[in-house]
């Protein structure tokens, strides 16, 4: 019966299902009518041949209608008493994610070659390819997921630097756009713009992270205030996104030789603001050569590994050296393991009463039944 009712009125549950036991009252009018029809006749005839030949009026043929209307009215009233309800609500996710600034060196030295997947590319091309996989995930040709799962729940931005640092993309959740912007960046091709302003780039990234956190906190406070003014539930008052940690992923193949801010000074500011630096050196600062006295390491690059390591340590971060594409991919996998997001799914539900349509229907049916009984199908005394 409930399935039949749902075809006409949308509802999910009864608040007082015990009231449905009163449906037995709907049988009372039918039983009463049946017993009345079996009772002694009001007038007796010695012969019924003449009365049987009389035509049956439409009132007699339709005299069952008031009984049916009364039964249906009682059924409607009982269903209204059971209080049918429709469950309304919504589900939303609250993410405790990472606010992450990617800081990428695009100086001329990033055009040096690097091996990846048994092929040789420029360092910058390998970095761009793996950054996009780090952000979006690396789906392999057979449909299986690779090492990098992507970071769909984080706020990620991009800052590139050579002699000058610049914001390519602010902190966003739209990672497809971010990946497209990463693909469009190139190394500098003007000598006057070449250089390595690592400290400036890290300081700019830290300022962006701090500003984004302050703006997000302000929005969340406004949301909470509005929810309190509207007497919303605690669930509704919770923010959609909470910054779990603030991170700078720094990739460079050189030492600071431009800009006005030293890398370690920028790292100390990051530590004060609770920002962790994951520093990655690209390429190898040394070459191993054979000499009459055995293998010797000879410095071939200008990478300042010590400063990168110190910057990471100051902020409770970590430093890695990526000598090829595979090692860089492994480093991103380690960062994924160190910085994980948390998603909490919250459901809010409200019950919307649907009893009124049944109560009104029952009332109308009983009124019509009474009118018909008194005005149309009234029995003689």
């Amino acid at each position: 019966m409930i399935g039949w009712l749902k075809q006409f009125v949308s509802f999910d549950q009864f608040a007082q299902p015990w009231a449905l036991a009163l449906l037995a009252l709907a049988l009372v009018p039918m039983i009463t009518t049946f017993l009345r029809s079996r009772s002694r006749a009001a007038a007796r005839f010695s012969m019924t041949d003449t009365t049987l030949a009389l035509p049956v009026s439409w009132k007699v043929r339709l005299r069952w209608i008031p009984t049916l209307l009364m039964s249906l009215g009682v059924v409607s009233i009982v269903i209204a008493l059971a209080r049918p309800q429709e469950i309304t609500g919504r589900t939303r996710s609250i993410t405790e994610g990472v606010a992450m600034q990617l800081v990428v060196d695009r100086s001329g030295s990033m055009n040096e070659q690097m091996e990846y997947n048994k092929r040789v590319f420029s360092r910058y091309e390998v970095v761009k390819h793996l950054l996009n996989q780090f952000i979006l995930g690396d789906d392999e040709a057979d449909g299986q997921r690779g090492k990098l799962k992507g970071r769909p729940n984080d706020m990620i931005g991009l800052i590139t630097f050579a002699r000058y640092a610049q914001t390519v993309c602010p902190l966003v959740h739209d990672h497809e756009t971010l990946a497209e912007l990463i693909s469009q960046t190139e190394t500098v091709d003007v000598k006057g713009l070449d250089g390595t302003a690592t400290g400036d780039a890290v300081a700019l990234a830290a300022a962006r992270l701090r500003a984004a956190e302050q703006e997000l906190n302000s929005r969340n406070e406004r949301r909470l205030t509005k929810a309190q003014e509207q007497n919303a539930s605690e669930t509704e008052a919770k923010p959609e996104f909470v910054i779990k940690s603030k991170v700078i992923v720094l990739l460079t193949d050189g030492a600071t030789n431009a800009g006005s801010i030293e890398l370690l000074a920028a790292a100390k500011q990051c530590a004060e603001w609770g920002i962790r630096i994951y520093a990655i050196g690209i390429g190898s600062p040394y070459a191993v050569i054979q000499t009459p006295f055995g293998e010797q390491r000879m410095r071939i690059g200008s990478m300042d590994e010590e400063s990168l390591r110190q910057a990471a340590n100051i902020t409770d971060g970590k430093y890695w050296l990526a000598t090829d594409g595979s090692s860089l991919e492994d480093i991103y996998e380690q960062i994924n393991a160190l910085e994980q997001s948390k998603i909490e799914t919250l459901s809010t539900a409200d019950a919307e009463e649907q009893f009124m349509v049944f109560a009104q229907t029952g009332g109308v049916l009983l009124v019509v039944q009474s009118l018909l009984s008194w005005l149309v199908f009234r029995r003689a005394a």
Side-chain angles (χ1 to χ4, degrees):
M1 181 175 182
I2 294 176
W4 177 80
L5 288 173
K6 288 183 178 180
Q7 296 178 7
F8 302 94
V9 179
S10 176
F11 69 94
D12 300 303
Q13 66 180 20
F14 288 106
Q16 300 174 156
W18 55 265
L20 295 176
L22 299 175
L23 286 174
L25 295 175
L27 299 176
V28 173
M30 292 183 286
I31 295 173
T32 301
T33 301
F34 175 77
L35 294 177
R36 183 181 295 171
S37 66
R38 302 292 295 177
S39 63
R40 180 176 299 181
R44 295 186 178 184
F45 297 88
S46 59
M47 296 182 63
T48 60
D49 294 342
T50 303
T51 57
L52 291 176
L54 294 174
V56 180
S57 68
W58 62 270
K59 290 185 179 181
V60 175
R61 294 181 185 276
L62 301 179
R63 63 185 177 184
W64 52 270
I65 289 180
T67 301
L68 177 63
L69 292 177
M70 180 176 288
S71 297
L72 292 177
V74 172
V75 168
S76 297
I77 296 298
V78 169
I79 293 175
L81 290 174
R83 290 177 54 200
Q85 296 176 331
E86 182 178 8
I87 302 301
T88 59
R90 65 188 182 91
T91 300
R92 66 187 183 97
S93 297
I94 295 177
T95 301
E96 291 185 7
V98 180
M100 180 180 297
Q101 277 285 4
L102 305 174
V103 180
V104 182
D105 186 347
R106 67 182 192 98
S107 61
S109 59
M110 290 291 286
N111 289 317
E112 296 291 331
Q113 292 185 335
M114 172 178 275
E115 182 182 348
Y116 179 58
N117 284 342
K118 299 181 180 180
R119 297 175 61 188
V120 176
F121 305 89
S122 73
R123 291 172 180 169
Y124 199 67
E125 288 301 318
V126 175
V127 167
K128 289 198 299 183
H129 175 73
L130 289 176
L131 272 179
N132 281 344
Q133 290 193 346
F134 175 64
I135 296 168
L136 301 178
D138 53 345
D139 290 321
E140 297 181 343
D142 58 359
Q144 299 296 318
R145 299 290 281 178
K147 289 183 177 181
L148 303 177
K149 311 304 181 183
R151 304 196 64 88
N153 304 310
D154 298 329
M155 294 175 61
I156 306 178
L158 173 65
I159 290 174
T160 60
F161 67 97
R163 179 169 293 276
Y164 305 103
Q166 62 177 357
T167 301
V168 177
C169 182
L171 290 159
V172 294
H173 291 287
D174 183 4
H175 297 165
E176 294 288 346
T177 299
L178 173 60
E180 181 63 27
L181 291 173
I182 290 174
S183 300
Q184 293 175 3
T185 61
E186 301 292 343
T187 56
V188 295
D189 54 6
V190 178
K191 187 174 181 179
L193 298 177
D194 204 0
T196 309
T198 315
D200 285 6
V202 171
L204 177 58
R208 291 288 187 184
L209 285 168
R210 182 171 173 80
E213 181 181 39
Q214 291 175 338
E215 172 60 24
L216 184 62
N217 289 341
S218 178
R219 291 205 307 266
N220 289 339
E221 288 176 2
R222 290 196 298 269
R223 178 190 182 94
L224 177 59
T225 300
K226 183 178 180 181
Q228 291 174 342
E229 291 175 351
Q230 297 177 350
N231 294 322
S233 65
E234 182 180 350
T235 297
E236 291 294 321
K238 288 187 177 181
E240 300 288 347
F241 186 85
V242 176
I243 294 179
K244 179 182 178 182
S245 60
K246 301 183 293 294
V247 170
I248 292 174
V249 180
L250 170 65
L251 301 99
T252 182
D253 67 345
T256 301
N257 58 18
S260 59
I261 302 176
E262 292 293 332
L263 174 58
L264 296 184
K268 290 177 182 178
Q269 184 65 74
C270 289
E272 291 180 11
W273 290 345
I275 300 171
R276 189 177 295 113
I277 295 177
Y278 293 125
I280 305 173
I282 306 295
S284 176
Y286 299 96
V288 178
I289 59 175
Q290 293 291 339
T291 69
F293 304 100
E295 291 184 349
Q296 299 291 328
R297 292 201 312 169
M298 183 178 69
R299 178 175 287 277
I300 59 174
S302 59
M303 186 190 307
D304 186 358
E305 281 196 285
E306 185 58 30
S307 292
L308 293 174
R309 186 176 288 106
Q310 288 182 29
N313 290 338
I314 288 172
T315 62
D316 195 26
K318 195 169 183 178
Y319 168 73
W320 295 271
L321 176 63
T323 57
D324 56 21
S326 296
S327 60
L328 181 57
E329 186 176 28
D330 291 338
I331 291 167
Y332 283 135
E333 187 179 9
Q334 292 180 52
I335 294 175
N336 275 338
L338 291 170
E339 297 291 339
Q340 297 183 354
S341 300
K342 176 184 176 183
I343 301 178
E344 180 183 4
T345 300
L346 299 176
S347 298
T348 58
D350 296 308
E352 184 178 341
E353 298 287 350
Q354 301 291 326
F355 70 89
M356 186 57 69
V357 62
F358 292 100
Q360 292 173 342
T361 301
V364 170
L365 289 173
L366 292 178
V367 169
V368 172
Q369 182 270 333
S370 298
L371 292 174
L372 290 177
S373 298
W374 283 94
L375 302 178
V376 180
F377 297 99
R378 186 173 183 179
R379 297 171 61 93

